[in-house]
Amino acid sequence: MNSPVEFRRAAVEPQFLEALRQRFGDRAQTGEAVCRLHGSSESHFAPALPDAVVFATSTQDVVDLVILCAANEVPVVPFGAGTSMEGNALPVCGGVSLDLSRMNAILAVNAEDFDCTVEAGVCREELNQFLRDTGLFFPIDPGANATIGGMASTRASGTNAVRYGTMRDAVLALTVVTAQGEVIRTARRARKSAAGYDLSRLYVGSEGTLGIITEVTLRLHPIPEAISAAVCGFATLQGAVDTVVQSIQLGIPMARVEILDDMQIRAVNRWSKLELPEVTTLFFEFHGSTASVADQAEMVSGVARENGGGNFEWATTAEERSRLWKARHEAYYAAVNLRHGAIGWATDVCVPISALPACITETKADLATASVPATILGHVGDGNFHVIFSIDPTNPKEMEEVEAINARLVARALSMDGTCTGEHGVGLGKQEWLKQELGEPAIEVMRRVKHALDPHTILNPGKIFAL
Amino acid sequence: MNSPVEFRRAAVEPQFLEALRQRFGDRAQTGEAVCRLHGSSESHFAPALPDAVVFATSTQDVVDLVILCAANEVPVVPFGAGTSMEGNALPVCGGVSLDLSRMNAILAVNAEDFDCTVEAGVCREELNQFLRDTGLFFPIDPGANATIGGMASTRASGTNAVRYGTMRDAVLALTVVTAQGEVIRTARRARKSAAGYDLSRLYVGSEGTLGIITEVTLRLHPIPEAISAAVCGFATLQGAVDTVVQSIQLGIPMARVEILDDMQIRAVNRWSKLELPEVTTLFFEFHGSTASVADQAEMVSGVARENGGGNFEWATTAEERSRLWKARHEAYYAAVNLRHGAIGWATDVCVPISALPACITETKADLATASVPATILGHVGDGNFHVIFSIDPTNPKEMEEVEAINARLVARALSMDGTCTGEHGVGLGKQEWLKQELGEPAIEVMRRVKHALDPHTILNPGKIFAL
């Protein structure tokens, strides 16, 4: 139902598992519980259990594992924090789930160059805690406390992308283990380079299908002199979206601008114990000098007023601000938990900003007849928004209904020159849509690259496209 | 001497040339003059003439030419404005030079989405002229009036990159003709996407070796409310570079910051009839609101004063500003023409910003003993600078001397975690350095991609790496 094809499970011999134990000791595990943990996702995909889980602690571990897997034609599927949304890390063909979460060293911070190098298993919140005293921060924020390696693999973005870009922009260089077990460094630390093919960007977003990222060099940004956050409720969804589009078109450099529709606010109020008015609401954050922040806020609140927005409610202290953004970060869980025991399904279209008002209002109208609770939540400054469905996993009719709504939503976005996935990646869920988005000849280019770099298809098989 | 290997010229049969004439009429040419024009570069590389030149006027022309070339195993080498610096468009194996300059239509401007789509042969100055009434501009400025397709192919950047990024950032989507003669569109117009491998970034910087770019969708930026430009002379080279590094580290969002050393100013004064004091000089440009521009300028001039800078000389009118930047844009020609009949050689290292003062002052010291006129010119906000040599082409000793200086310069940059090419690409001149920069296993990844996408090696053979 939720997999595009039936996957063939690789044959994993007892000798292979024995070889894993010999090389990795108790860092190679085959227990039911650990396999189940690495074979489940935070979304609606059926579990797919690995034959073993290996916890790497070094790039050399990854090299040795890849060589062992290659020799035995066993799949190897990188796993970070397990927070991806399209089943990107599910070992659908079995094999080894390569858990990189113990590779969590921060290797270097070059404050004067605004960059740092971390192991792939470092989580973004820990990185920002570590950086606090340097006056710098790492802006990419997909909501979940994902690993940097996972965020690079899925080309993650999130709330700050409207100002600071996505992982595509944040990655300066990568250390990658190839399917041949070679270790490569994709670039040096210079801010720009024209030195051959852009290998960093080739691996960013490749979801572990072309190589395994073990270290990431990231661009950092100075913590702004002033940060201020506000929420603003709107009489209509259209008014909220128009506020965003007009503010973007005025060139106001908002650091964050998030939409939460009335249903999403209701979910957030319940989950995070807030008392926001249950109407479509924009969450803003402004970064800059004190003067510039005041300037931006004044301009945006003027635009909001013209579009039926209420007063800006300011979160002036760091505590209020983090309470607000914590609620925003938990919005996915809040939405899923509108029903007890439900599972989540998040859509992920992104359209040119001028098409956003039509796309989002048509989608809201489509949701009006849905039998499943559904919220709208989005990084609207980028033209990217999610519908989050709260599905009863025991009711297959609900899954069908949601599939149909999602199909209409993606078709709508594609008709507006948008994409089926702004930030979650293709994984298992967007493979059919990717074909419609880019066409078979473009997929064939991707397939050629995949075959060239991973000729025996051991790296995260079954993802992005059928081979 | 200036080619890494001896290239084997493809056999081009008279029947093939006849087929070209049949398909393209007088847009297929084999005359000596047109072949010489397409077989020369603006730099120090020996001419390498194509067997024919085809002027394409549509993507279908490119498809038909590629299919014809593939069937006959004849190289096809895309050519734009002929302004690349590393021999990137020289047909070193013969074959067809595919001139895209007649594909110069601006296909769409979506002002409300800040993007436009153009044919590959549109030049950046013409694009900006066209955009003027929309309130938007295309910021990437490599100096020469290059074509957008050529700029995408070499991952160009230039004076504005410190603020607006490079072609990597500017390209939203491409239309590409593959070696199989398929037409693909690499992405939709959404501002971000996680839809599979980043094909746009794969082709940007691939120098025509993986496919032929025929259309480019570009991000645009609002013309700032205020623009101001200034020059400032310095007592020492070190003081000028320290000013840049400290301003960057303060997070001041300069739109342009260019260094011209004393020799370069002398060349510019002579070539562009200016009377600047002949000392190391920074050219600045500030973009933003009137208040922000004044703010930025005050902060930077404070930093400059602390580092031995003189007064800021402001170019307040648009005319003065364009006179100043015209002189900057002609700096390469000014440097080359320090001697009559000389040819140019521009180096292109880029280092982490903290390493820039050491890199540039050590380089200046190395130049002190050079027998060849040499200037320093650079996009120092990115850590990128060029040495421009003015070489007597009849004196092979000079070429050797310059090669040795360049070798020391690149080794210096690599030892500082920098790159051998910040923006010119690899072409013919940086192939050996690319190996040292990224290592053989990384080149092997590039080679696998090349073989996968262009199995018969018809697309710009001989560039970036040996096959």
Side-chain angles (χ1 to χ4, degrees):
Chain A
M1 169 170 53
N2 48 34
S3 292
V5 293
E6 282 306 304
F7 297 104
R8 199 157 56 87
R9 236 189 131 75
V12 174
E13 308 292 338
Q15 296 92 312
F16 172 78
L17 297 174
E18 185 49 39
L20 285 186
R21 274 183 219 104
Q22 280 198 3
R23 169 61 181 81
F24 297 104
D26 60 8
R27 292 189 289 112
Q29 301 183 7
T30 53
E32 164 78 12
V34 74
C35 285
R36 186 149 296 281
L37 189 71
H38 290 78
S40 309
S41 82
E42 288 204 351
S43 194
H44 60 285
F45 297 96
L49 269 51
D51 294 286
V53 177
V54 169
F55 293 86
T57 58
S58 67
T59 296
Q60 190 58 50
D61 277 353
V62 177
V63 169
D64 292 349
L65 178 65
V66 166
I67 289 173
L68 207 52
C69 286
N72 292 274
E73 299 201 354
V74 170
V76 53
V77 182
F79 184 96
T83 53
S84 61
M85 300 304 292
E86 291 291 354
N88 316 64
L90 287 178
V92 287
C93 302
V96 177
S97 175
L98 166 56
D99 188 315
L100 293 144
S101 64
R102 296 185 191 175
M103 287 185 67
N104 60 359
I106 292 167
L107 301 172
V109 177
N110 302 296
E112 70 279 31
D113 293 319
F114 295 6
D115 71 50
C116 69
T117 299
V118 303
E119 288 186 319
V122 169
C123 291
R124 64 173 187 85
E125 289 179 2
E126 284 70 56
L127 175 59
N128 274 324
Q129 254 151 25
F130 186 92
L131 290 173
R132 199 164 291 172
D133 296 337
T134 64
L136 300 173
F137 79 116
F138 169 64
I140 318 291
D141 165 19
N145 189 20
T147 62
I148 301 297
M151 289 170 64
S153 292
T154 54
R155 206 182 299 130
S157 51
T159 61
N160 274 316
V162 61
R163 169 76 172 260
Y164 296 97
T166 75
M167 284 303 280
R168 188 193 80 184
D169 311 291
V171 168
L172 259 184
L174 300 167
T175 300
V176 173
V177 176
T178 71
Q180 293 72 42
E182 296 275 3
V183 180
I184 67 168
R185 185 93 189 131
T186 58
R188 299 296 192 99
R189 279 202 306 113
R191 283 163 60 113
K192 67 180 193 186
S193 173
Y197 303 161
D198 190 346
L199 295 183
S200 306
R201 252 48 60 188
L202 180 62
Y203 290 107
V204 169
S206 69
E207 304 187 16
T209 64
L210 299 180
I212 294 167
I213 296 170
T214 62
E215 294 175 10
V216 186
T217 300
L218 294 166
R219 284 174 194 250
L220 303 173
H221 291 264
I223 296 174
E225 177 191 322
I227 299 178
S228 70
V231 297
C232 177
F234 285 79
T236 63
L237 179 67
Q238 173 97 35
V241 181
D242 286 347
T243 297
V244 175
V245 173
Q246 291 163 21
S247 298
I248 292 282
Q249 288 171 348
L250 284 168
I252 303 168
M254 296 174 285
R256 288 167 155 164
V257 53
E258 299 279 307
I259 204 166
L260 290 81
D261 77 349
D262 50 347
M263 284 292 289
Q264 182 64 60
I265 292 289
R266 192 173 310 166
V268 161
N269 277 346
R270 201 193 290 187
W271 183 260
S272 299
K273 316 268 180 293
L274 295 180
E275 291 175 351
L276 295 166
E278 295 185 355
V279 296
T280 302
T281 302
L282 294 177
F283 282 42
F284 294 100
E285 197 167 273
F286 304 100
H287 292 180
S289 65
T290 309
S292 148
V293 160
D295 217 41
Q296 294 173 47
E298 198 189 306
M299 286 173 78
V300 175
S301 65
V303 176
R305 260 193 313 276
E306 285 168 24
N307 288 290
N311 288 330
F312 272 39
E313 302 288 334
W314 290 97
T316 40
T317 67
E319 289 68 37
E320 284 178 283
R321 215 167 57 228
S322 74
R323 180 151 173 263
L324 200 64
W325 285 109
K326 185 164 178 293
R328 166 61 192 85
H329 284 150
E330 294 174 353
Y332 176 71
Y333 306 104
V336 175
N337 283 285
L338 280 170
R339 291 202 288 181
H340 183 71
I343 56 169
W345 175 325
T347 70
D348 183 33
V349 301
C350 184
V351 295
I353 193 86
S354 66
L356 186 65
C359 191
I360 210 164
T361 53
E362 288 172 27
T363 302
K364 180 78 175 170
D366 196 16
L367 295 177
T369 61
S371 72
V372 180
T375 70
I376 289 178
L377 172 67
H379 317 304
V380 271
D382 297 318
N384 182 207
F385 69 94
H386 312 295
V387 179
I388 302 171
F389 296 100
S390 175
I391 301 172
D392 173 0
T394 67
N395 183 348
K397 280 233 156 73
E398 289 198 358
M399 196 76 96
E400 267 172 53
E401 183 186 347
V402 167
E403 276 191 340
I405 297 173
N406 184 46
R408 291 195 292 276
L409 171 53
V410 174
R412 187 176 304 128
L414 294 184
S415 77
M416 294 167 170
D417 219 354
T419 175
C420 64
T421 172
E423 55 182 16
H424 293 167
V426 176
L428 294 171
K430 293 283 160 55
Q431 299 193 8
E432 286 303 313
W433 295 114
L434 182 66
K435 284 189 219 165
Q436 295 202 29
E437 180 169 332
L438 297 180
E440 189 52 47
I443 310 297
E444 179 57 22
V445 170
M446 295 188 195
R447 212 178 266 124
R448 283 173 179 265
V449 171
K450 166 71 174 172
H451 281 303
L453 299 191
D454 179 25
H456 303 296
T457 318
I458 62 165
L459 297 175
N460 201 7
K463 305 302 164 58
I464 305 184
F465 41 71
L467 287 167
Chain B
M1 168 170 56
N2 49 34
S3 292
V5 293
E6 283 304 305
F7 297 104
R8 200 157 56 87
R9 237 188 130 76
V12 174
E13 306 293 337
Q15 296 93 312
F16 172 78
L17 296 175
E18 185 48 38
L20 285 187
R21 273 183 221 107
Q22 281 199 2
R23 169 61 181 81
F24 297 102
D26 60 8
R27 292 188 289 111
Q29 302 182 6
T30 53
E32 163 79 13
V34 74
C35 286
R36 186 149 296 281
L37 188 71
H38 289 78
S40 310
S41 83
E42 288 205 350
S43 194
H44 60 286
F45 297 96
L49 269 51
D51 294 287
V53 176
V54 169
F55 293 86
T57 58
S58 68
T59 296
Q60 190 58 49
D61 277 352
V62 176
V63 169
D64 292 349
L65 177 65
V66 165
I67 289 173
L68 206 53
C69 286
N72 291 274
E73 299 202 354
V74 170
V76 53
V77 182
F79 184 96
T83 53
S84 62
M85 300 303 292
E86 291 291 355
N88 316 66
L90 286 179
V92 288
C93 301
V96 177
S97 176
L98 166 56
D99 188 313
L100 293 143
S101 64
R102 296 185 191 174
M103 288 185 68
N104 60 358
I106 292 168
L107 301 171
V109 177
N110 301 295
E112 70 277 32
D113 292 320
F114 294 6
D115 70 50
C116 70
T117 299
V118 302
E119 287 186 320
V122 168
C123 291
R124 63 173 188 85
E125 289 179 3
E126 283 71 56
L127 175 58
N128 275 324
Q129 253 151 24
F130 185 92
L131 291 172
R132 197 164 293 171
D133 296 337
T134 65
L136 300 173
F137 79 115
F138 170 63
I140 319 290
D141 165 18
N145 188 20
T147 62
I148 301 298
M151 289 170 63
S153 293
T154 53
R155 205 182 298 132
S157 49
T159 61
N160 274 315
V162 61
R163 169 77 172 258
Y164 297 95
T166 74
M167 284 303 280
R168 190 194 78 186
D169 311 292
V171 169
L172 259 184
L174 299 168
T175 300
V176 173
V177 176
T178 71
Q180 292 73 41
E182 296 275 4
V183 179
I184 67 168
R185 185 93 188 132
T186 58
R188 299 296 192 101
R189 279 202 307 115
R191 283 163 60 111
K192 66 181 193 187
S193 172
Y197 303 161
D198 190 345
L199 296 184
S200 306
R201 254 47 61 188
L202 180 61
Y203 290 107
V204 170
S206 68
E207 305 187 16
T209 64
L210 299 179
I212 294 168
I213 297 169
T214 62
E215 294 175 10
V216 186
T217 299
L218 294 166
R219 285 174 193 248
L220 304 173
H221 292 264
I223 295 174
E225 177 191 322
I227 299 178
S228 70
V231 297
C232 177
F234 284 80
T236 64
L237 179 68
Q238 173 95 36
V241 181
D242 286 348
T243 297
V244 175
V245 174
Q246 290 164 23
S247 298
I248 292 283
Q249 288 172 348
L250 284 169
I252 304 168
M254 297 173 285
R256 288 168 155 163
V257 54
E258 298 279 308
I259 204 166
L260 291 81
D261 77 348
D262 51 347
M263 283 293 289
Q264 182 65 59
I265 293 289
R266 192 173 311 166
V268 162
N269 277 347
R270 202 193 289 187
W271 183 260
S272 299
K273 316 269 179 294
L274 295 180
E275 289 175 353
L276 295 166
E278 294 186 355
V279 297
T280 301
T281 302
L282 294 177
F283 281 43
F284 295 100
E285 197 167 273
F286 305 101
H287 293 179
S289 66
T290 309
S292 148
V293 160
D295 217 40
Q296 295 173 47
E298 196 189 307
M299 288 173 75
V300 175
S301 64
V303 176
R305 261 193 311 277
E306 285 169 22
N307 288 290
N311 288 329
F312 272 38
E313 302 287 334
W314 291 96
T316 39
T317 66
E319 288 68 37
E320 282 177 284
R321 213 166 58 227
S322 77
R323 182 153 171 263
L324 201 62
W325 286 109
K326 184 163 180 293
R328 166 61 193 86
H329 283 150
E330 295 174 351
Y332 176 71
Y333 307 104
V336 175
N337 283 284
L338 280 169
R339 291 203 287 181
H340 184 70
I343 57 169
W345 175 324
T347 70
D348 184 33
V349 301
C350 184
V351 295
I353 193 88
S354 66
L356 186 64
C359 191
I360 210 164
T361 54
E362 289 173 27
T363 302
K364 180 76 175 172
D366 196 15
L367 296 177
T369 61
S371 72
V372 180
T375 71
I376 289 179
L377 171 68
H379 318 304
V380 272
D382 297 318
N384 183 207
F385 69 92
H386 311 296
V387 179
I388 302 171
F389 297 100
S390 176
I391 301 173
D392 173 0
T394 66
N395 183 347
K397 280 233 155 76
E398 289 197 359
M399 196 76 98
E400 268 173 50
E401 183 187 346
V402 167
E403 275 192 341
I405 297 172
N406 183 48
R408 291 194 292 275
L409 171 54
V410 175
R412 187 177 304 127
L414 294 183
S415 77
M416 294 167 171
D417 219 355
T419 176
C420 66
T421 172
E423 56 181 15
H424 293 166
V426 176
L428 294 171
K430 292 285 159 53
Q431 299 194 8
E432 285 303 312
W433 294 114
L434 182 67
K435 284 190 217 165
Q436 294 203 29
E437 180 168 333
L438 297 180
E440 189 51 47
I443 310 297
E444 180 56 24
V445 170
M446 295 187 196
R447 213 178 266 125
R448 282 173 180 267
V449 172
K450 167 70 176 174
H451 281 304
L453 300 191
D454 179 25
H456 304 297
T457 319
I458 61 163
L459 299 174
N460 202 5
K463 303 302 163 59
I464 304 186
F465 40 71
L467 288 167

